[in-house]
Amino acid sequence: MVSRLTGNGQRMRHRVEADLRSVCLARALPSLLPKMLRAWLPKSCVYLNVGHSNYSDRVLRALPQDVTNALMVHDTIPLDHPGFVVPGRSDQMRAMLIRAAQAADRVIVPSIAVQARLSQHIDPDKLLVAPLGITPLAAEPLPINASSKPYFVVIGTIEPRKNHRMLLEAWSLLQDPPELHIIGRRGWRNTELFALLDQHPLQGSKIFEHNQMDDGEAHGYLAGATALLMPSYAEGFGLPPLEAWALGTPAVVSDLPVFRETLGACGIYVDADDAYAWSTIIRRLTEGTQTLPATPKIPTWREHFEAVEQALRF
């Protein structure tokens, strides 16, 4: 009404805002949710849940019968590695997969590795792989006091699954270590590592922690790095290695099936627990004696959404 009175009613932005506002204001008591959804949803539409929120029995029962029910599952880490997630998360995911097995028409996953794991819980005919895409981002210039080469970067929440502890051990094995820039916020179940980081003798001279860095700054560090390091114990897809390669920076990764899938012959693979092997690769990269693989094919979001669209056709 306000948009019409002020003469802005025909502008696309105002029309979209008005539509979004009306949707956001729509509410119903739990018992009236089925009636509301029947009134609002067009015939034969798609319910696509990409974040697991509200994927509850109540919502699924309320959906009209002609709605295509699709869920995206990003990884199976809570089931495979319950010690890496917050308490209760494993049980929540197990319950969600039971609901998905019963109600979902399609379950979209980002990798063949996740597909293989989920096939133990969900009909394989319902599963479809849609690899994630990489958004090309301009790298911001490094600050004047930032490092020059050689230096290495690790990106991700500082949590046990990301295996920062092994990198600290590898750095301790190097006689003249390069700089290591740890980009990511401190996460969960990692109190001992936080203490180790705070007290590490190389903290502030060779090891630097960046807890509040935006994407542009992170890409700036990544673009100038000798290599990205990603010694994770588990990943559903793993965007940083592909983001690194998109900026021309090689990636050293743990030898996981999903990295073999996304990087192929273009990754430098090292056992996640072998600190000595990691230190050897880091030394060779620092000295310029490590053979670098070719750049992998960088997936696009267009390819991802074309795969999703194909998944929702019956």
Side-chain angles (χ1 to χ4, degrees):
M1 182 188 302
V2 172
S3 293
R4 288 198 298 271
L5 291 175
T6 56
N8 292 320
Q10 297 307 311
R11 294 186 180 182
M12 181 60 71
R13 172 182 170 181
H14 288 265
R15 290 165 59 190
V16 171
E17 288 178 346
D19 287 343
L20 287 175
R21 187 176 296 110
S22 63
V23 170
C24 290
L25 291 174
R27 293 289 186 271
L29 294 172
S31 60
L32 299 178
L33 181 61
K35 180 180 179 181
M36 189 186 87
L37 292 182
R38 286 195 300 271
W40 277 81
L41 296 180
K43 295 294 183 182
S44 302
C45 68
V46 174
Y47 170 68
L48 176 58
N49 187 310
V50 298
H52 306 173
S53 297
N54 298 321
Y55 201 78
S56 63
D57 290 331
R58 181 173 64 84
V59 170
L60 296 177
R61 286 195 300 266
L63 291 173
Q65 291 296 317
D66 62 346
V67 170
T68 297
N69 181 335
L71 172 71
M72 184 166 190
V73 178
H74 300 270
D75 58 66
T76 57
I77 291 170
L79 295 183
D80 302 334
H81 304 279
F84 289 160
V85 297
V86 296
R89 182 71 184 91
S90 298
D91 292 337
Q92 291 173 1
M93 184 168 198
R94 194 171 288 106
M96 183 197 69
L97 292 183
I98 291 173
R99 288 193 291 271
Q102 296 170 346
D105 298 302
R106 285 288 187 270
V107 177
I108 301 165
V109 295
S111 64
I112 296 172
V114 176
Q115 180 189 42
R117 184 68 178 88
L118 277 184
S119 64
Q120 303 174 33
H121 303 270
I122 295 173
D123 182 354
D125 290 337
K126 292 183 177 183
L127 302 174
L128 188 131
V129 178
L132 304 182
I134 301 299
T135 300
L137 289 178
E140 294 184 6
L142 291 174
I144 295 175
N145 61 346
S147 306
S148 59
K149 282 190 175 182
Y151 71 88
F152 294 79
V153 167
V154 54
I155 294 180
T157 303
I158 305 174
E159 52 164 313
R161 176 171 63 89
K162 297 295 186 178
N163 202 16
H164 292 80
R165 178 185 293 275
M166 187 280 304
L167 285 182
L168 295 184
E169 184 180 347
W171 244 253
S172 298
L173 294 173
L174 294 165
Q175 290 186 350
D176 184 19
E179 291 186 357
L180 173 64
H181 290 266
I182 300 172
I183 300 174
R185 296 184 179 182
R186 294 191 173 193
W188 47 88
R189 292 193 165 187
N190 230 359
T191 304
E192 291 182 5
L193 178 64
F194 300 153
L196 185 61
L197 269 172
D198 292 336
Q199 300 166 14
H200 200 283
L202 296 177
Q203 178 71 272
S205 60
K206 293 291 187 176
I207 296 176
F208 301 88
E209 192 178 346
H210 309 277
N211 304 125
Q212 302 291 332
M213 190 174 284
D214 62 32
D215 287 347
E217 291 177 295
H219 279 75
Y221 273 88
L222 191 54
T226 302
L228 168 79
L229 308 177
M230 196 162 183
S232 301
Y233 283 119
E235 294 289 344
F237 186 77
L239 285 171
L242 289 168
E243 290 175 329
W245 271 116
L247 293 167
T249 300
V252 185
V253 299
S254 51
D255 197 355
L256 296 177
V258 70
F259 287 147
R260 293 282 181 177
E261 177 184 340
T262 58
L263 298 176
C266 303
I268 303 173
Y269 301 98
V270 190
D271 186 285
D273 289 315
D274 193 340
Y276 178 78
W278 280 85
S279 68
T280 300
I281 293 292
I282 291 161
R283 176 178 54 79
R284 291 175 180 170
L285 287 166
T286 301
E287 296 170 349
T289 58
Q290 174 68 35
T291 301
L292 297 179
T295 303
K297 179 184 181 298
I298 306 299
T300 67
W301 282 113
R302 177 182 291 275
E303 293 168 337
H304 169 79
F305 285 108
E306 285 176 351
V308 170
E309 184 179 4
Q310 183 64 35
L312 300 180
R313 292 175 181 169
F314 292 88

